[in-house]
């Protein structure tokens, strides 16, 4: 029971702080006090999650505890079938506790960093920001410790609300308001798949448990994966993620490293017993993930906004995770989720430190920053090398494992896509490092200086994990029924060679010699396509030509067919009534004439009948 108390505290302390800041307006508007209170809540959640993690390994990786309460009693499904009671509660096992540590650690680092990064904001906005941060941490933890898919869905939707509020933090800026709405509606569109999947699952099995066996597993998991494509930004539902960079940079580090976008991958990991019954869904996941990894990496190559580069990089790395899960490996997908959370949060926060110094997201405005901001620059380089998969850093171990399981699956086309994406990842991160840190000094960079301790401390701590978390992979795999022994494989050597080649090519093109001018010119068409938002244009075309045309046709049918039939019936009734009304004029003499005429007609009819 002690562990359950800790878990409930980890869950409800951030909620209590968010509720307090919402209700007590003077505290929220105080700004600094609200931020400190929110950070203390995230520190408490982190400490609690680490305590649970230590207890998990003390229990040899088995399920720690479970506490549920009946929310809805038995429901009748028809034909005499009763559903199981619907329960809400807490599930503490290897998957939930390890994810809890990742979420709480990144959220805590982001909130500490935000104390410095957001300090220039008005006090009321500063307090509002930390209110949404605490709410988001509660929402994500609700999803993580859910004992069934229904509670996971409740946390899933609350995460969507909190992310909408954080992405739209600068709601007075039209582009930020549009980005928040776009992210909200794009993910809500995908969430229709999750709702439909839950309905089918409950109708077929009478439960929301992810361990159930059902012939409808393929339908259920395919519908669930549609929701994953939206939340985890898989092609073609990825278009909201780059626009979400309109939010504050720490928000990008939180949502797009370990929390919101990782929720989709976590859902697949959590519901693996269901996905294991659906070979078609897994095959679809494998190809969608590999294509997303390659597609997003291609677009990242030509971005000039440092946050957009990292946004498309997130799409690409999520594609790796989805491909690993499609190949049937929980460990590979979750391991890369973990390492990616640390080095991508590091990259976003280090980028935020650079942006804070030069007041621009553009790479060309950041030249020469290494000499001005050595600590931030070194941390950024560590994150970039981890993302590129350089041996010894965390990204190498997890990406190598993904390539191994895809190769073992015999999926050579997805493997080729992932290998090309590995080359491009190293190339575009080399480009970012060279342009931002070692490029020609810009006027904006002339006044740059190192950030304060509240911003650099999280960078150092995340750098340590970006360097070392890969070595904990074997221990992490012990939490699953899929033990893994890490080694340097042939495919790992190939991927490393591609990564080093990508870095070398980026140095040749963007280093001091600028030797790749012709190659840069060859990339120009890709840059124009990327900046044009081709996929967005296809959505717009589909809306204008498809959805609006369909809506216009439905409106015509409704107006002229359905309404027309109703109006015709009403007109006929009124016309007939108007004619019959003339017989009811209230003149007694007329009524007597009618009666007499009727009597005569009946008499004549009788005589004719007798004759």
């Amino acid at each position: 029971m002690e562990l359950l108390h800790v878990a409930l505290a980890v869950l409800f302390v951030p909620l209590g702080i968010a509720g307090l800041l919402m209700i007590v307006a003077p505290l929220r508007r105080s700004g600094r006090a609200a931020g400190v209170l929110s950070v203390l809540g995230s520190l408490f959640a982190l400490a609690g999650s680490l305590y649970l993690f230590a207890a998990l390994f003390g229990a040899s990786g088995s399920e720690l505890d479970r506490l549920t309460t009946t929310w809805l009693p038995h429901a009748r499904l028809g034909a005499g079938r009763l559903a199981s009671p619907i329960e809400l509660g807490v599930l503490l096992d290897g998957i939930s506790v390890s994810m809890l540590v990742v979420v709480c650690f990144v959220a805590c680092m982001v909130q500490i960093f935000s104390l410095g990064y957001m300090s220039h904001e008005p006090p009321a906005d500063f307090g509002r920001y930390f209110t949404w941060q605490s709410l988001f941490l509660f929402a994500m933890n609700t999803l993580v410790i859910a004992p069934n898919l229904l509670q996971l869905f409740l946390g899933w939707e609350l995460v969507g609300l909190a992310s909408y509020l954080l992405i739209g933090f600068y709601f007075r800026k039209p582009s930020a308001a549009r980005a928040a709405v776009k992210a909200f509606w794009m993910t809500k569109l995908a969430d229709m798949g999750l709702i439909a999947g839950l309905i089918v699952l409950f109708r077929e099995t009478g439960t929301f448990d992810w361990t159930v066996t059902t012939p409808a597993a393929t339908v259920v998991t395919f519908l669930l994966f549609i929701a994953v494509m939206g939340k985890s930004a898989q092609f073609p539902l990825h278009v909201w993620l780059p626009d979400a960079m309109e939010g504050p940079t720490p928000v990008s580090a939180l949502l797009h490293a370990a929390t919101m976008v990782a929720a989709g991958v976590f859902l697949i990991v959590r519901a693996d017993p269901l996905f294991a019954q659906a070979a078609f869904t897994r095959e679809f996941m494998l190809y969608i993930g590999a294509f997303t990894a390659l597609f997003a990496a291609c677009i990242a190559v030509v971005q000039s906004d440092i946050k957009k580069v990292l946004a498309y990089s997130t799409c690409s790395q999520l594609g790796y995770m989805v491909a690993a899960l499609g190949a049937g490996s929980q460990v590979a997908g979750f391991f890369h989720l973990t390492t990616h959370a640390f080095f991508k949060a590091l990259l976003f926060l280090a980028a935020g430190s650079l942006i804070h110094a030069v007041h621009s997201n553009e790479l060309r405005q950041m030249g020469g920053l290494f000499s001005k901001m050595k600590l931030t620059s070194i941390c950024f380089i560590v994150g970039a090398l981890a993302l590129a998969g350089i041996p010894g850093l965390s990204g190498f171990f997890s990406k190598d494992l993904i390539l191994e399981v895809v190769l073992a699956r015999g999926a050579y086309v997805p493997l080729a896509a992932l290998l090309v994406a590995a080359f491009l990842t190293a190339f575009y991160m080399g480009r970012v490092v060279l342009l931002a840190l070692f490029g020609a000094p810009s006027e904006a960079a002339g006044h740059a200086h190192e950030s304060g301790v509240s911003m650099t401390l999280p960078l150092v701590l995340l750098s340590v994990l970006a360097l070392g978390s890969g070595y904990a992979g074997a221990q992490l795999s012990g939490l699953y029924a899929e033990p893994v022994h890490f080694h340097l494989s042939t495919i790992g050597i190939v991927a490393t060679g591609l990564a080093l080649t990508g870095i070398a090519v980026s140095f040749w093109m963007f280093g001091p010699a600028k030797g790749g001018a012709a190659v840069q010119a060859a990339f120009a068409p890709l840059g124009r396509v990327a900046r044009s938002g081709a996929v967005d244009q296809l959505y717009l075309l589909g809306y204008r030509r498809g959805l609006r045309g369909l809506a216009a046709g439905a409106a015509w049918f409704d107006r002229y067919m359905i309404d027309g039939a109703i109006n015709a019936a009403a007109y006929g009734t009124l016309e007939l009534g108007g004619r019959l009304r003339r017989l009811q004029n209230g003149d007694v003499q007329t009524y007597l004439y009618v009666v007499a005429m009727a009597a005569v007609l009946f008499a004549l009819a009788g005589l004719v009948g007798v004759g």
Side-chain angles (χ1 to χ4, degrees):
M1 185 59 77
E2 176 190 358
L3 296 176
L4 289 170
H5 289 159
V6 174
L8 290 172
V10 169
L11 180 64
F12 287 113
V13 165
L15 176 63
I17 291 173
L20 182 66
L21 294 177
M22 289 179 193
I23 295 169
V24 184
L27 181 59
R28 182 179 69 253
R29 293 170 184 161
S30 66
R32 198 72 181 178
V36 171
L37 188 61
S38 181
V39 168
L40 290 175
S42 67
L43 283 168
F44 179 88
L46 175 59
S49 66
L50 290 172
Y51 179 84
L52 294 172
F53 193 67
L56 175 71
F57 276 98
S60 301
S62 60
E63 181 177 311
L64 283 177
D65 217 334
R66 176 193 290 261
L67 173 67
T68 58
T69 182
T70 299
W71 182 41
L72 293 175
H74 293 285
R76 189 169 298 279
L77 295 175
R81 292 193 304 139
L82 288 177
S84 301
I86 299 174
E87 297 180 328
L88 299 179
V90 174
L91 171 62
L92 300 178
D93 64 356
I95 297 174
S96 61
V97 172
S98 53
M99 185 68 176
L100 203 63
V101 171
V102 173
V103 170
C104 291
F105 184 84
V106 172
C108 184
M109 295 301 101
V110 166
Q111 290 199 29
I112 294 172
F113 183 91
S114 298
L115 289 175
Y117 187 88
M118 303 293 289
S119 59
H120 64 284
E121 298 291 338
D125 289 345
F126 193 78
R128 174 168 59 87
Y129 171 84
F130 279 98
T131 302
W132 303 148
Q133 284 276 357
S134 293
L135 178 65
F136 187 91
L137 182 55
F138 162 74
M140 193 66 199
N141 287 346
T142 299
L143 183 155
V144 169
I145 64 174
N148 54 49
L149 284 168
L150 181 64
Q151 183 174 321
L152 187 147
F153 169 71
L154 299 177
W156 183 280
E157 292 304 309
L158 191 55
V159 163
L161 170 63
S163 63
Y164 164 76
L165 295 170
L166 286 168
I167 294 169
F169 176 76
Y170 298 119
F171 62 89
R172 299 176 186 88
K173 183 181 176 184
S175 58
R178 285 195 299 270
V181 171
K182 183 177 182 179
F184 186 80
W185 284 116
M186 203 70 197
T187 54
K188 292 310 107 182
L189 173 65
D191 289 354
M192 295 301 100
L194 180 54
I195 295 173
L198 292 180
I199 291 172
V200 174
L201 178 65
F202 188 74
R203 181 66 183 84
E204 293 297 319
T205 67
T207 181
F208 292 107
D209 192 351
W210 46 64
T211 62
V212 69
T213 301
T214 172
T218 298
V219 175
V220 171
T221 54
F222 190 82
L223 291 169
L224 295 182
F225 184 63
I226 291 174
V228 172
M229 290 172 67
K231 193 75 85 181
S232 292
Q234 296 298 286
F235 180 89
L237 303 182
H238 68 285
V239 293
W240 65 269
L241 184 59
D243 295 78
M245 297 302 108
E246 289 287 346
T249 303
V251 168
S252 301
L254 179 68
L255 302 186
H256 308 138
T259 53
M260 179 183 176
V261 295
V265 175
F266 178 78
L267 185 153
I268 301 174
V269 172
R270 183 82 276 185
D272 184 71
L274 271 176
F275 280 86
Q277 304 171 49
F280 172 79
T281 304
R282 277 190 164 175
E283 191 79 4
F284 184 73
M285 288 163 49
L286 175 59
Y287 280 86
I288 284 292
F291 180 79
T292 302
L294 177 58
F295 173 80
C298 289
I299 299 180
V301 165
V302 293
Q303 294 297 315
S304 60
D305 183 322
I306 190 170
K307 289 178 66 176
K308 291 280 182 76
V309 174
L310 297 179
Y312 281 109
S313 171
T314 297
C315 290
S316 181
Q317 297 305 305
L318 288 166
Y320 273 93
M321 300 174 210
V322 169
L325 294 168
S329 177
Q330 269 187 305
V331 172
F334 190 81
F335 186 29
H336 197 55
L337 182 157
T338 303
T339 60
H340 176 264
F342 298 136
F343 62 68
K344 186 54 65 67
L346 170 61
L347 285 168
F348 267 116
L349 293 184
S353 182
L354 299 176
I355 292 168
H356 191 263
V358 301
H359 306 290
S360 174
N361 294 6
E362 290 297 315
L363 290 170
R364 299 288 182 181
Q365 300 274 336
M366 296 181 180
L369 286 179
F370 185 86
S371 60
K372 303 279 187 177
M373 307 173 68
K374 283 189 172 59
L375 181 57
T376 294
S377 298
I378 291 171
C379 291
F380 189 90
I381 292 170
V382 168
L385 293 176
L387 173 58
I390 299 304
L393 281 78
S394 60
F396 164 77
F397 294 99
S398 56
K399 189 178 291 186
D400 182 35
L401 181 58
I402 291 174
L403 295 173
E404 282 191 47
V405 298
V406 173
L407 176 62
R409 177 74 167 67
Y412 298 111
V413 173
L415 179 64
L418 295 175
L419 287 172
V420 175
F423 165 79
L424 292 174
T425 300
F427 171 75
Y428 66 66
M429 288 313 300
R431 170 178 174 265
V432 169
V433 168
L434 289 167
L435 291 179
L437 305 183
F438 300 101
S442 65
E443 183 179 346
H447 306 287
H449 57 83
E450 189 58 85
S451 302
V453 67
S454 67
M455 295 170 65
T456 54
L457 177 61
L459 298 183
V460 172
L461 295 176
L462 285 166
S463 295
V464 171
L465 289 174
L467 286 167
S469 60
Y471 296 95
Q475 289 74 23
L476 187 65
S477 69
L479 302 176
Y480 298 84
E482 186 189 343
V484 173
H485 302 286
F486 293 91
H487 59 281
L488 185 60
S489 62
T490 302
I491 195 67
I493 295 173
V494 172
T496 300
L498 288 171
L500 293 175
T501 303
I503 293 174
V505 172
S506 68
F507 188 81
W508 172 60
M509 290 179 62
F510 302 101
K514 304 289 185 186
V519 181
Q520 290 187 53
F523 274 116
L526 179 60
R528 287 192 292 271
V529 171
R531 285 186 289 273
S532 70
V535 179
D536 284 283
Q537 294 300 318
L538 288 175
Y539 275 115
L540 192 59
L541 181 65
Y543 168 72
R544 288 177 175 170
R545 298 286 179 85
L547 188 59
R548 287 185 64 179
L550 180 63
W556 181 91
F557 184 82
D558 179 69
R559 181 178 298 114
Y560 295 106
M561 300 301 292
I562 297 177
D563 285 356
I566 294 173
N567 291 337
Y571 175 80
T573 302
L574 290 173
E575 187 68 17
L576 180 61
R579 294 181 182 277
L580 292 176
R581 186 173 57 188
R582 297 173 185 174
L583 302 177
Q584 301 289 332
N585 59 9
D587 187 351
V588 176
Q589 187 175 5
T590 301
Y591 293 166
L592 290 174
Y593 285 147
V594 171
V595 170
M597 290 177 64
V600 170
L601 290 174
F602 280 124
L604 290 175
L607 290 174
V608 172
V610 172

PDB file of all heavy atoms in Angstrom, residues 3-19:
ATOM      1  N   LEU A   3       3.563   1.869  -1.705  1.00  0.00           N
ATOM      2  CA  LEU A   3       3.905   2.231  -3.078  1.00  0.00           C
ATOM      3  C   LEU A   3       2.727   2.887  -3.777  1.00  0.00           C
ATOM      4  O   LEU A   3       2.898   3.830  -4.564  1.00  0.00           O
ATOM      5  CB  LEU A   3       4.352   0.986  -3.840  1.00  0.00           C
ATOM      6  CG  LEU A   3       5.637   0.317  -3.339  1.00  0.00           C
ATOM      7  CD1 LEU A   3       5.917  -0.945  -4.117  1.00  0.00           C
ATOM      8  CD2 LEU A   3       6.812   1.281  -3.431  1.00  0.00           C
ATOM      9  N   LEU A   4       1.520   2.416  -3.501  1.00  0.00           N
ATOM     10  CA  LEU A   4       0.335   3.009  -4.101  1.00  0.00           C
ATOM     11  C   LEU A   4       0.143   4.432  -3.603  1.00  0.00           C
ATOM     12  O   LEU A   4      -0.266   5.320  -4.362  1.00  0.00           O
ATOM     13  CB  LEU A   4      -0.893   2.154  -3.801  1.00  0.00           C
ATOM     14  CG  LEU A   4      -0.945   0.812  -4.534  1.00  0.00           C
ATOM     15  CD1 LEU A   4      -2.069  -0.044  -3.989  1.00  0.00           C
ATOM     16  CD2 LEU A   4      -1.120   1.015  -6.031  1.00  0.00           C
ATOM     17  N   HIS A   5       0.432   4.659  -2.330  1.00  0.00           N
ATOM     18  CA  HIS A   5       0.337   6.022  -1.804  1.00  0.00           C
ATOM     19  C   HIS A   5       1.308   6.951  -2.528  1.00  0.00           C
ATOM     20  O   HIS A   5       0.975   8.104  -2.851  1.00  0.00           O
ATOM     21  CB  HIS A   5       0.624   6.017  -0.302  1.00  0.00           C
ATOM     22  CG  HIS A   5      -0.472   5.394   0.510  1.00  0.00           C
ATOM     23  ND1 HIS A   5      -0.279   4.896   1.772  1.00  0.00           N
ATOM     24  CD2 HIS A   5      -1.782   5.182   0.230  1.00  0.00           C
ATOM     25  CE1 HIS A   5      -1.424   4.406   2.236  1.00  0.00           C
ATOM     26  NE2 HIS A   5      -2.338   4.574   1.314  1.00  0.00           N
ATOM     27  N   VAL A   6       2.522   6.451  -2.748  1.00  0.00           N
ATOM     28  CA  VAL A   6       3.517   7.255  -3.477  1.00  0.00           C
ATOM     29  C   VAL A   6       3.024   7.550  -4.893  1.00  0.00           C
ATOM     30  O   VAL A   6       3.120   8.684  -5.390  1.00  0.00           O
ATOM     31  CB  VAL A   6       4.871   6.527  -3.509  1.00  0.00           C
ATOM     32  CG1 VAL A   6       5.865   7.284  -4.401  1.00  0.00           C
ATOM     33  CG2 VAL A   6       5.442   6.388  -2.107  1.00  0.00           C
ATOM     34  N   ALA A   7       2.492   6.521  -5.558  1.00  0.00           N
ATOM     35  CA  ALA A   7       1.999   6.706  -6.925  1.00  0.00           C
ATOM     36  C   ALA A   7       0.860   7.716  -6.976  1.00  0.00           C
ATOM     37  O   ALA A   7       0.813   8.564  -7.876  1.00  0.00           O
ATOM     38  CB  ALA A   7       1.542   5.366  -7.495  1.00  0.00           C
ATOM     39  N   LEU A   8      -0.049   7.641  -6.024  1.00  0.00           N
ATOM     40  CA  LEU A   8      -1.163   8.590  -5.995  1.00  0.00           C
ATOM     41  C   LEU A   8      -0.663  10.006  -5.727  1.00  0.00           C
ATOM     42  O   LEU A   8      -1.191  10.976  -6.276  1.00  0.00           O
ATOM     43  CB  LEU A   8      -2.178   8.168  -4.934  1.00  0.00           C
ATOM     44  CG  LEU A   8      -2.975   6.888  -5.262  1.00  0.00           C
ATOM     45  CD1 LEU A   8      -3.811   6.459  -4.072  1.00  0.00           C
ATOM     46  CD2 LEU A   8      -3.863   7.098  -6.484  1.00  0.00           C
ATOM     47  N   ALA A   9       0.368  10.122  -4.895  1.00  0.00           N
ATOM     48  CA  ALA A   9       0.938  11.447  -4.645  1.00  0.00           C
ATOM     49  C   ALA A   9       1.597  12.008  -5.896  1.00  0.00           C
ATOM     50  O   ALA A   9       1.451  13.195  -6.224  1.00  0.00           O
ATOM     51  CB  ALA A   9       1.945  11.368  -3.490  1.00  0.00           C
ATOM     52  N   VAL A  10       2.337  11.146  -6.616  1.00  0.00           N
ATOM     53  CA  VAL A  10       2.955  11.569  -7.882  1.00  0.00           C
ATOM     54  C   VAL A  10       1.893  12.051  -8.862  1.00  0.00           C
ATOM     55  O   VAL A  10       2.095  13.020  -9.606  1.00  0.00           O
ATOM     56  CB  VAL A  10       3.757  10.394  -8.491  1.00  0.00           C
ATOM     57  CG1 VAL A  10       4.182  10.717  -9.921  1.00  0.00           C
ATOM     58  CG2 VAL A  10       4.968  10.092  -7.635  1.00  0.00           C
ATOM     59  N   LEU A  11       0.730  11.403  -8.823  1.00  0.00           N
ATOM     60  CA  LEU A  11      -0.348  11.761  -9.744  1.00  0.00           C
ATOM     61  C   LEU A  11      -1.038  13.057  -9.338  1.00  0.00           C
ATOM     62  O   LEU A  11      -1.245  13.953 -10.162  1.00  0.00           O
ATOM     63  CB  LEU A  11      -1.364  10.617  -9.800  1.00  0.00           C
ATOM     64  CG  LEU A  11      -2.577  10.807 -10.711  1.00  0.00           C
ATOM     65  CD1 LEU A  11      -2.140  10.912 -12.165  1.00  0.00           C
ATOM     66  CD2 LEU A  11      -3.555   9.658 -10.537  1.00  0.00           C
ATOM     67  N   PHE A  12      -1.381  13.171  -8.054  1.00  0.00           N
ATOM     68  CA  PHE A  12      -2.297  14.238  -7.645  1.00  0.00           C
ATOM     69  C   PHE A  12      -1.617  15.511  -7.132  1.00  0.00           C
ATOM     70  O   PHE A  12      -2.269  16.548  -7.064  1.00  0.00           O
ATOM     71  CB  PHE A  12      -3.272  13.713  -6.589  1.00  0.00           C
ATOM     72  CG  PHE A  12      -4.309  12.790  -7.153  1.00  0.00           C
ATOM     73  CD1 PHE A  12      -4.323  11.445  -6.819  1.00  0.00           C
ATOM     74  CD2 PHE A  12      -5.247  13.256  -8.058  1.00  0.00           C
ATOM     75  CE1 PHE A  12      -5.273  10.588  -7.349  1.00  0.00           C
ATOM     76  CE2 PHE A  12      -6.198  12.415  -8.603  1.00  0.00           C
ATOM     77  CZ  PHE A  12      -6.208  11.070  -8.254  1.00  0.00           C
ATOM     78  N   VAL A  13      -0.343  15.464  -6.775  1.00  0.00           N
ATOM     79  CA  VAL A  13       0.322  16.702  -6.343  1.00  0.00           C
ATOM     80  C   VAL A  13       0.360  17.733  -7.476  1.00  0.00           C
ATOM     81  O   VAL A  13      -0.005  18.902  -7.273  1.00  0.00           O
ATOM     82  CB  VAL A  13       1.725  16.405  -5.787  1.00  0.00           C
ATOM     83  CG1 VAL A  13       2.556  17.692  -5.675  1.00  0.00           C
ATOM     84  CG2 VAL A  13       1.613  15.746  -4.414  1.00  0.00           C
ATOM     85  N   PRO A  14       0.794  17.347  -8.709  1.00  0.00           N
ATOM     86  CA  PRO A  14       0.721  18.348  -9.794  1.00  0.00           C
ATOM     87  C   PRO A  14      -0.702  18.833 -10.064  1.00  0.00           C
ATOM     88  O   PRO A  14      -0.902  20.017 -10.360  1.00  0.00           O
ATOM     89  CB  PRO A  14       1.278  17.581 -10.998  1.00  0.00           C
ATOM     90  CG  PRO A  14       2.145  16.520 -10.411  1.00  0.00           C
ATOM     91  CD  PRO A  14       1.456  16.101  -9.155  1.00  0.00           C
ATOM     92  N   LEU A  15      -1.688  17.939  -9.963  1.00  0.00           N
ATOM     93  CA  LEU A  15      -3.073  18.367 -10.157  1.00  0.00           C
ATOM     94  C   LEU A  15      -3.485  19.352  -9.081  1.00  0.00           C
ATOM     95  O   LEU A  15      -4.143  20.363  -9.372  1.00  0.00           O
ATOM     96  CB  LEU A  15      -4.006  17.152 -10.133  1.00  0.00           C
ATOM     97  CG  LEU A  15      -5.508  17.479 -10.221  1.00  0.00           C
ATOM     98  CD1 LEU A  15      -5.839  18.153 -11.546  1.00  0.00           C
ATOM     99  CD2 LEU A  15      -6.338  16.216 -10.042  1.00  0.00           C
ATOM    100  N   GLY A  16      -3.103  19.074  -7.826  1.00  0.00           N
ATOM    101  CA  GLY A  16      -3.438  19.990  -6.746  1.00  0.00           C
ATOM    102  C   GLY A  16      -2.826  21.368  -6.954  1.00  0.00           C
ATOM    103  O   GLY A  16      -3.477  22.394  -6.712  1.00  0.00           O
ATOM    104  N   ILE A  17      -1.588  21.402  -7.434  1.00  0.00           N
ATOM    105  CA  ILE A  17      -0.935  22.697  -7.684  1.00  0.00           C
ATOM    106  C   ILE A  17      -1.617  23.423  -8.835  1.00  0.00           C
ATOM    107  O   ILE A  17      -1.868  24.633  -8.763  1.00  0.00           O
ATOM    108  CB  ILE A  17       0.556  22.468  -7.966  1.00  0.00           C
ATOM    109  CG1 ILE A  17       1.260  22.012  -6.685  1.00  0.00           C
ATOM    110  CG2 ILE A  17       1.208  23.738  -8.516  1.00  0.00           C
ATOM    111  CD1 ILE A  17       2.695  21.606  -6.872  1.00  0.00           C
ATOM    112  N   ALA A  18      -1.944  22.690  -9.910  1.00  0.00           N
ATOM    113  CA  ALA A  18      -2.653  23.319 -11.030  1.00  0.00           C
ATOM    114  C   ALA A  18      -4.000  23.860 -10.577  1.00  0.00           C
ATOM    115  O   ALA A  18      -4.377  24.985 -10.931  1.00  0.00           O
ATOM    116  CB  ALA A  18      -2.842  22.298 -12.156  1.00  0.00           C
ATOM    117  N   GLY A  19      -4.746  23.072  -9.771  1.00  0.00           N
ATOM    118  CA  GLY A  19      -6.041  23.537  -9.266  1.00  0.00           C
ATOM    119  C   GLY A  19      -5.896  24.745  -8.371  1.00  0.00           C
ATOM    120  O   GLY A  19      -6.697  25.692  -8.439  1.00  0.00           O
TER     121      GLY A  19
END
